[in-house]
Each structure stands twice: as structure tokens, then as C-alpha cells.
Amino acid sequence: MTPLAKGINALWPTLNFADVDGNLANVRYDEPLPESFTPPTQAQIDEALYRLSIPASVSAGDFMRALIELGWYDSVVSTIENLRSTNTDQGKLAGVLWDRATKFLRNDPLLIQVGTLTGKSSVDLDAIFIKAASYE
């Protein structure tokens, strides 16, 4: 399946179409089309392909390696230690998961919170997961 077809399929999983040559202008759509259907733009396809490139989870080892290579490891450790020192359930959970997790989930609320506290955006978190997945 071409990247173009993957993008269209991600946007409309039930749509029948033919990707003739990987060129958006030459995609053929089978009838009947949904009433609300408008052909996707290249930007929509690019966004769908970007979302598909972000793994849902990565191993803890690959996650740590990505943090180190991106230069973010020390700030994340500092944030985890600050949370742990609050002696709240959230802080304890952050510390335990950091110490014992075998994998990290991209959409885990605690991971997102730690990312935010470390000054990282959603795009930054995506970058960690994309980089970590590249080691496998």
C-alpha cells in the first residue's frame, strides 16, 4: 500500500478507492460516495500519515535511549524526582512507573503530565516515541 493509500485509508477506513499511481489527482473513488465526502487534501493525508507514524507504545529501554539522545533525560528525571518528593499518590505513582515500567504508552495521562511539566509539547512527545521506535 502506498503512503497515499495509507493516508486515505486512515481518514476514511470504509471508503473504496483505487490509488492508480500514488498521485492524489489520479485517485479513483468507487460509487456510491458518502454524502458528506469531499476528496482529501494533501495536507489531510500528510497529517494522517504523521499520526500513523507515532507508535502507541515503546519499550522502556528504547524510551530512555531516545530521551538521552534528545538531551531530555536529565530534565525528565528531575521532574520525576520533584513529583516523587511531593509524597502524593500521583508523585508515588510517577516514581514507581518510572522505576519499573517495561514500556511507555504515548497517550498515558501521567506521561503527558510529566512531559508538560518538563516543558515538552505534544509534538515533542511524538518525537520521543518516533525516535524510540526507530531502534527496534
Side-chain angles (χ1 to χ4, degrees), residues 78-96:
S78 177
T79 300
I80 295 291
E81 291 307 318
N82 286 340
L83 281 170
R84 194 186 314 244
S85 71
T86 64
N87 207 27
T88 61
D89 287 346
Q90 185 85 355
K92 291 174 188 173
L93 181 60
V96 168

Side-chain angles (χ1 to χ4, degrees), residues 45-98:
I45 291 170
D46 291 345
E47 173 64 22
L49 290 172
Y50 173 75
R51 285 193 314 269
L52 288 172
S53 74
I54 303 163
S57 67
V58 294
S59 73
D62 290 340
F63 187 81
M64 299 300 168
R65 181 177 174 188
L67 286 175
I68 290 168
E69 289 186 10
L70 291 168
W72 301 345
Y73 181 81
D74 291 339
S75 63
V76 171
V77 169
S78 177
T79 300
I80 295 291
E81 291 307 318
N82 286 340
L83 281 170
R84 194 186 314 244
S85 71
T86 64
N87 207 27
T88 61
D89 287 346
Q90 185 85 355
K92 291 174 188 173
L93 181 60
V96 168
L97 292 177
W98 179 255

